[in-house]
Amino acid sequence: MSKFIAVVIYSFAAIASQLAIAQSHQHSAIVIPNIKGEVTLDGDFDEPQWASAKLISLDYVVRPHENTQPPVTTKVRIFEDDKTLYIGFTAQDPNPSDISAFYRDRDKVWSEDLVGFKLDTFYDSRLAYQFFVNPLGIQSDSIQNEMTGKESDSWNAIWDSVGKITADGYQVEIAIPLRILNFKEGEQDKIWGAEFVRFYPREERLRISNLPTDRNNACNLCQLGSVKGFKQAKQGQNLALVPTLVMAKQRSREPAETLEWDRQNNQEVGMDISWGITPEVSLQATLNPDFSQVESDIAQLSINNTNALFFAERRTFFLENADYFSSNYNLVHTRNVNAPDYGLKVSGRMDQHSLGVFVANDQTTTFLIPGNLSSDVAELSEGSKNMALRYRYDFSSDLSLGVVGTAREADSYHNYVTALDSKYQLSDQDTLRIQWARSQTQYPSLLYQDYSDETQLRLKNDGEFNGQALRVNYRHNERNWNFRADHYRNGKDFRADLGFERNVDRNTSVIGGAYRWFSEHSWWNRIEVWGDWDIAHNDDGELLEKEAEIYTSIRGKWQSYLELGVQSRDKVGVRQQAESLRVDNNATLFHEDQASLYFDIRPSPSVYFGVYTRYGDNIDYDNNRLGKQININPKMNLSLGKHLQLNIRHTYRQLKVNDANLFTANLTDARLTYQFDPRQYIRLIVVHSDIKRNLDNYIIATDDYLKRSKVLSTQLLYSYKINPLTKFFVGYTDSGFQDDDVSIHRLSEQSIFMKFSYAWLN
């Protein structure tokens, strides 16, 4: 009994000590000295300014362990000179040969040794800039958004860094021009949220910080420390003019019909403009942009799939300050704007106000046609005008209210969406998010004629129609467990055509939770068990899906992760979309039992391997019956020296029905990259798909199906980047296929292209 009392007293003392440490960090700002003088970034701290800089140390391993003493020493030096923030890291390492550092493109080094920091320049726990550098000076930057709980490395700023590996570790110098940050100017010292971090990947990937972390606090940015200084910091005009030149030659054909090529030449001159209207508000504009993809998207397999595929935005104009447009629903997905002639965006934060607005035209109009079981894509040949607005008011760090408005207009079509949302941090552990949206839509009267019966019923042609949607999310997060409850109600007439909402006429409720165990002195560091139960009905109250799933995972040495899961669901499988989906009359409710496994490991800095598998019952959506499907998705990253990397992803999918094969699909995406230095690389991309169908096992007519289809695409790309705005690309790409009608592989598309942009900065 006395031992138990001693353990309890010791535990309470340890908790009190951790709270005291956290409170001391929370209330004591790091004062950053203002020191003038020229600094040359070379990886050495030989300028006199570094001797007078503020010196701090990183004393806490906060992940995967909990505020333990780090195995390595890391010192950080900081000062500013009104225009630039200088930060120097000395990262000691007992075995420098184990340092994980490779030459990679920007934002491709997140798995390596890194040092860096977060900055919340408004110190309101909403957004934070993140700057990280590997030991060779390769940069990664991103934005962390507490509103959505996500980090995005699509944000790219112009800043300088140099890394240098030494006999006892490595050193990094960083220079951040203050003009790239949004902050409130003034004559007083500014207080910003900040955290300084080192990632140390060995048997475990350690996150080492200057601050302890409270795992009972679900708000990450709320736990940032503070830095004080920048009294005379100003942003100036922050004007960037970026003319662009695009030249391309391409040819295409339909090999089943002709071997003659249709040739096209393209030369375009455009202009991108970025201007800091005020220190808190910026403007971006683009004129005659070429928004074609420089590099191919990661390949996705679309077979026996009822929903449209999602592709992330990768275009610079739309990525800039994209977080200002985020909300609970995905109401602004700018990949819907395909080929604009112009675009204009204004975004910024002033005190408690956040605002984002963009307008752009489009030469064509593409949008989702959502349903309760599936979704399709519609395209109009007529052009459209597109607009999005996002405003948020922060009453405090705990409560915010926002509004989203989107509009798409063409001659015979329009879609308008208005939404209200709120996030309320009830406590350190509890968060409530609510969003309500209303839409007004009108489709062209004859659009339905171009689509299948199942899609026609969703293409209303009787004038304008209105719909509503509601989303409520509750989260409770503590150190060892969490709980979630969600409700989504998308009315059958709701449309969000500038966003990406694939399902309507669907009302879903979800409850779930997780429990975690931690270990600091074993081969594993975390075990977690989690799961959820959800049920979905259409607007008439008829069951669409009822599902229960449970998973368990373990994180161990060599940065390994193993996850096992089982899923059991009742699900409607009929693809024909009726106005009133009578499950009992159509006999379309199936029961699926599935098991899944995911495993990945990084046994050395040069090798990463992962695999996902799923086996069990799966609906054959084409023929509306149940089959057995196996999915196997391996992936591997292999570094051959410091400069060469091979990335391979493969998807294998097979569906059997009545003990006979229905289809077998293989998709391989291979990318070989040689990074000459931080600025330039050459990359070869090969994507191959092979789909075999057993048409004798189909119930429906198979006139529109191919027995065998092979597609091979290649791309060779050279890239030279001085910075994210000044860059040069030249490349070659082609695509060809072989199927029932074309007996040998023939090219169907070929192109060569060159893109150049140069940034004038003021």
Side-chain angles (χ1 to χ4, degrees), residues 37 91 93 97 102 206 250 254 267 347 385 388 533 595 693 742:
D93 195 309
S97 60
F102 300 93
L206 303 184
Q250 52 198 17
E254 295 291 341
Q267 295 86 32
S347 56
K385 298 177 181 177
W533 177 88
R693 297 180 187 268
V742 180

Side-chain angles (χ1 to χ4, degrees), residues 392-403:
R392 193 183 76 218
Y393 183 81
D394 299 323
F395 290 91
S396 67
S397 60
D398 298 326
L399 177 63
S400 65
L401 293 177
V403 61

